[in-house]
Amino acid sequence: MEERSELFCDYYAKWISVYKEGAIREVTLDKYKMTQRWLTRLVPDLRLEDLNRISYQQLLNDYALSHERQTTMDFHHQLKGAILDAVDEGLIERDPTRKAIIKGKAPRENKKDKYLNQFELHTLISTLDLSMEISWDWFILLVAKTGLRFSEALALTPRDFDFSHQSISVNKTWNYKGQGGFMPTKNKSSVRKVQIDWQMVIQFSQLVKDLPEDQPIFIKGKVYNSTVNNILSRHCKKANVPVISIHGLRHTHASILLFAGVSIASVARRLGHSSMNTTQKTYLHIIQELENRDIDLVMRSLSVLN
């Protein structure tokens, strides 16, 4: 069968073109295309008919030599969709991804801390210059208090604030990696209303009252993620807390809620995760710490029953 002798990297490129182009966001499509480039580099001569558990595991192992485990897991998931389609079409006899072992390099020691504790966040916020004009310091405060993604916070307009109901509507993102402009959210679950505290209501109602209703409040020309991260980094150093990124502020927001006893389901909805599994996987270390705390509480409760 001629199709079974097709190169795996060629089949994958065709699969991306047919199933992914126009169906997913440009930034996600770029990740699939990067996976395709790695296929061409690692297994340029591997044919569909030769794709079995051993050859697939070897591919993952080779990729894992230069990538961390989570990145290798993402690589595996992006390949798996195409491979299962090839199995359905009869181009591959059995699913070669079954029981795949995910390896990877140890995370870099100098990797930025993913989140701050409540005291550190409070100290960080105290260094912000919150004058009566919109600035990146206000942006940092907003992400810290809402857990919005960078692109979601950039896309906020005055119309997205519902001050009477103390909420923000998240229904779009800003294409900061491209030419600017509004784009859809990451997934359907990302469209949501995020409650804000009364202090933010007072502050932002004053900040946005004279701004155009449908224009993003933080955008003035081209925006770079690195610019805002550098500003945040300076504040972290000034506050003498671990240096984190804007995405780390999102992690900080979620971790503080979890430690405060907010349910995983509520945190998942607030963050706009597509499922609770994403939340559990991302914050597994915190959930395990909370479970240990619960065990101590159970033991203390039982010990008084004697």
Side-chain angles (χ1 to χ4, degrees):
M1 190 176 180
E2 195 174 322
E3 287 178 321
R4 293 182 62 173
S5 64
E6 184 178 9
L7 292 173
F8 179 37
C9 54
D10 289 345
Y11 173 83
Y12 189 71
K14 187 167 63 179
W15 181 83
I16 292 172
S17 174
V18 171
Y19 291 103
K20 296 300 177 183
E21 286 183 9
I24 55 178
R25 297 190 312 156
E26 201 67 32
V27 64
T28 309
L29 182 63
D30 287 342
K31 291 176 183 176
Y32 278 93
K33 289 181 176 178
M34 176 62 78
T35 295
Q36 199 273 329
R37 287 194 289 273
W38 271 102
L39 278 187
T40 305
R41 185 185 306 183
L42 295 173
V43 287
D45 302 319
L46 180 63
R47 301 188 179 278
L48 286 175
E49 61 189 352
D50 299 322
L51 191 55
N52 52 40
R53 283 186 61 198
I54 291 176
S55 60
Y56 183 72
Q57 185 65 57
Q58 189 59 57
L59 167 62
L60 290 183
N61 293 350
D62 292 344
Y63 183 83
L65 290 174
S66 56
H67 294 86
E68 292 181 14
R69 189 176 182 279
Q70 184 56 54
T71 312
T72 306
M73 178 71 80
D74 295 339
F75 179 73
H76 164 62
H77 282 149
Q78 291 193 338
L79 291 176
K80 190 171 181 177
I83 290 171
L84 291 181
D85 280 348
V87 172
D88 286 346
E89 292 170 35
L91 303 178
I92 301 173
E93 284 188 17
R94 295 186 184 87
D95 175 13
T97 69
R98 193 173 64 87
K99 295 186 179 178
I101 306 298
I102 308 301
K103 305 174 185 176
K105 293 196 307 178
R108 297 191 309 275
E109 284 186 17
N110 63 347
K111 211 169 185 181
K112 289 180 180 176
D113 287 278
K114 289 207 168 177
Y115 66 92
L116 305 177
N117 63 35
Q118 190 158 1
F119 175 76
E120 290 167 337
L121 180 61
H122 181 76
T123 308
L124 170 66
I125 289 173
S126 71
T127 71
L128 300 178
D129 178 15
L130 302 176
S131 59
M132 283 315 295
E133 281 191 18
I134 284 288
S135 67
W136 291 120
D137 283 24
W138 280 110
F139 184 89
I140 289 168
L141 178 72
L142 181 117
V143 173
K145 285 198 165 188
T146 61
L148 264 59
R149 297 179 178 93
F150 182 66
S151 58
E152 293 172 342
L154 286 178
L156 289 178
T157 68
R159 182 165 286 173
D160 295 322
F161 288 83
D162 183 347
F163 296 116
S164 60
H165 293 97
Q166 290 186 225
S167 69
I168 294 173
S169 290
V170 180
N171 49 40
K172 56 194 174 302
T173 61
W174 186 258
N175 183 19
Y176 68 94
K177 290 185 178 178
Q179 299 303 309
F182 294 119
M183 292 177 63
T185 53
K186 186 173 183 179
N187 51 57
K188 287 181 181 178
S189 304
S190 296
V191 177
R192 63 200 187 279
K193 289 190 184 298
V194 177
Q195 295 299 124
I196 55 176
D197 62 80
W198 63 268
Q199 195 173 11
M200 278 193 73
V201 168
I202 293 169
Q203 291 167 325
F204 274 85
S205 60
Q206 290 301 307
L207 281 169
V208 307
K209 66 178 181 179
D210 297 322
L211 298 178
E213 280 283 287
D214 294 319
Q215 296 299 311
I217 62 179
F218 292 106
I219 302 296
K220 294 181 180 70
K222 178 71 176 168
V223 177
Y224 295 95
N225 187 286
S226 57
T227 304
V228 189
N229 278 333
N230 287 338
I231 293 169
L232 175 56
S233 175
R234 287 201 297 273
H235 281 297
C236 288
K237 288 170 183 173
K238 185 177 178 182
N240 198 26
V241 300
V243 173
I244 61 168
S245 63
I246 287 290
H247 195 67
L249 271 183
R250 177 171 158 86
H251 286 310
T252 296
H253 181 80
S255 64
I256 287 173
L257 294 182
L258 289 168
F259 277 122
V262 178
S263 72
I264 295 172
S266 294
V267 172
R269 278 196 299 272
R270 189 168 174 88
L271 294 181
H273 282 163
S274 54
S275 76
M276 275 197 295
N277 288 339
T278 304
T279 317
Q280 287 172 319
K281 187 173 73 173
T282 307
Y283 301 104
L284 182 62
H285 56 299
I286 296 172
I287 292 164
Q288 287 172 338
E289 195 172 331
L290 289 171
E291 284 177 351
N292 291 337
R293 201 162 71 179
D294 285 346
I295 290 168
D296 291 340
L297 183 60
V298 168
M299 291 301 102
R300 284 201 303 274
S301 301
L302 293 176
S303 67
V304 299
L305 297 178
N306 291 341

